[in-house]
């Protein structure tokens, strides 16, 4: 009825209630909106704690996020980066990317820390090295279309974009599910796999 998308309404709520430049408060305000107003398929606080723990353990200097959506996961990742680290995030939907860009900058992250790349992941990944300077990713966070997980993992492998000992963190592999990705990760012999049990967001 308002003529604006859920994602834009969430951003208006952030503008009215969140503290600019405070990533933690940005995420808390997002959570309040999603719990009490409208559901958005963000990572959410429960699974967010898993992401935070992995960031703390790995201290990655180069992070790639597939599926920016409206920037919740991007802010979550960016606030846990060690000094001098850089986050590259890819979003296929220009409307979502437009909201995400504003959310990321509202949280206080510059383009030097977080680079948002708009375009389909299968088109962007092959050009990450020469166009964006991402030589190897230490951590990859997958939270886009589940049917793309396996295809994009193989693209990352074929373009040698995974650093030695890189971590792949993939959301919602059990539900809605990415069975082919999960089977490949478990059986190809390249990865040690661990499934984190968590509730759905919100």
């Amino acid at each position: 009825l308002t003529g604006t998308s859920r994602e834009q309404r969430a951003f208006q709520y952030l503008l009215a209630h969140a503290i600019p430049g405070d990533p933690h408060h940005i995420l808390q305000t997002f959570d309040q909106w999603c719990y009490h107003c409208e559901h958005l398929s963000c990572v959410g606080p429960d699974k967010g704690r898993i992401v935070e723990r992995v960031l703390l353990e790995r201290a990655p200097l180069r992070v790639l996020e597939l599926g920016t959506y409206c920037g919740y996961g991007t802010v979550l990742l960016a606030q846990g980066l060690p000094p001098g680290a850089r986050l590259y995030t890819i979003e296929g939907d220009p409307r979502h990317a437009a909201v995400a860009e504003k959310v990321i900058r509202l949280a206080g992250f510059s383009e030097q820390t977080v680079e948002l790349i708009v375009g389909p992941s299968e088109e962007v990944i092959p050009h990450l090295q020469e166009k964006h300077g991402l030589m190897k990713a230490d951590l990859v966070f997958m939270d886009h279309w589940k049917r793309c997980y396996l295809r994009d993992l193989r693209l990352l492998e074929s373009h040698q974009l995974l650093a030695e000992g890189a971590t792949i963190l993939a959301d919602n592999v059990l539900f809605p599910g990415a069975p082919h990705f999960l089977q490949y990760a478990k059986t190809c012999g390249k990865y040690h796999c661990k499934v984190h049990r968590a509730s759905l967001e919100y």
Side-chain angles (χ1 to χ4, degrees):
L1 291 173
T2 64
T4 59
S5 67
R6 277 189 304 173
E7 294 78 19
Q8 289 171 315
R9 290 195 291 273
F11 178 68
Q12 292 303 321
Y13 184 82
L14 283 184
L15 277 180
H17 297 92
I19 301 169
D22 185 337
H24 182 67
H25 197 258
I26 296 276
L27 296 176
Q28 279 187 326
T29 309
F30 247 128
D31 293 336
Q32 287 169 2
W33 172 266
C34 293
Y35 277 124
H36 304 297
C37 301
E38 292 180 281
H39 176 269
L40 295 173
S41 54
C42 305
V43 178
D46 293 338
K47 290 187 287 185
R49 281 187 280 275
I50 297 169
V51 176
E52 287 172 333
R53 192 169 70 242
V54 170
L55 283 167
L56 198 61
E57 289 169 0
R58 302 294 181 192
L61 288 174
R62 294 293 176 266
V63 177
L64 175 63
E65 179 186 33
L66 302 179
T68 317
Y69 187 39
C70 49
Y72 183 104
T74 315
V75 172
L76 179 69
L77 288 164
Q79 74 167 355
L81 293 177
R86 187 162 168 78
L87 168 60
Y88 302 81
T89 182
I90 301 171
E91 175 53 49
D93 187 325
R95 293 165 302 174
H96 292 163
V99 173
E101 180 83 45
K102 290 183 279 194
V103 170
I104 294 162
R105 306 310 167 210
L106 184 68
F109 298 109
S110 70
E111 289 182 17
Q112 281 67 47
T113 304
V114 179
E115 181 177 349
L116 173 60
I117 305 163
V118 184
S121 54
E122 72 272 20
E123 293 178 15
V124 174
I125 289 171
H127 303 289
L128 280 172
Q129 289 174 330
E130 72 269 24
K131 275 193 178 178
H132 303 280
L134 174 59
M135 305 316 289
K136 304 268 185 191
D138 305 303
L139 173 70
V140 178
F141 182 48
M142 294 187 168
D143 195 16
H144 56 328
W145 295 108
K146 312 313 157 208
R147 65 175 183 270
C148 302
Y149 279 17
L150 179 56
R151 179 202 69 199
D152 287 350
L153 178 59
R154 285 181 161 157
L155 270 177
L156 291 169
E157 290 173 348
S158 65
H159 290 277
Q160 299 180 326
L161 280 158
L162 298 175
E164 190 173 341
T167 301
I168 314 290
L169 197 54
D171 193 18
N172 295 336
V173 292
L174 297 180
F175 182 84
H180 299 300
F181 166 84
L182 208 52
Q183 184 184 17
Y184 176 77
K186 287 179 175 179
T187 60
C188 72
K190 299 174 187 175
Y191 306 100
H192 299 286
C193 289
K194 179 179 180 181
V195 176
H196 299 269
R197 302 282 171 176
S199 61
L200 282 175
E201 56 277 350
Y202 311 115

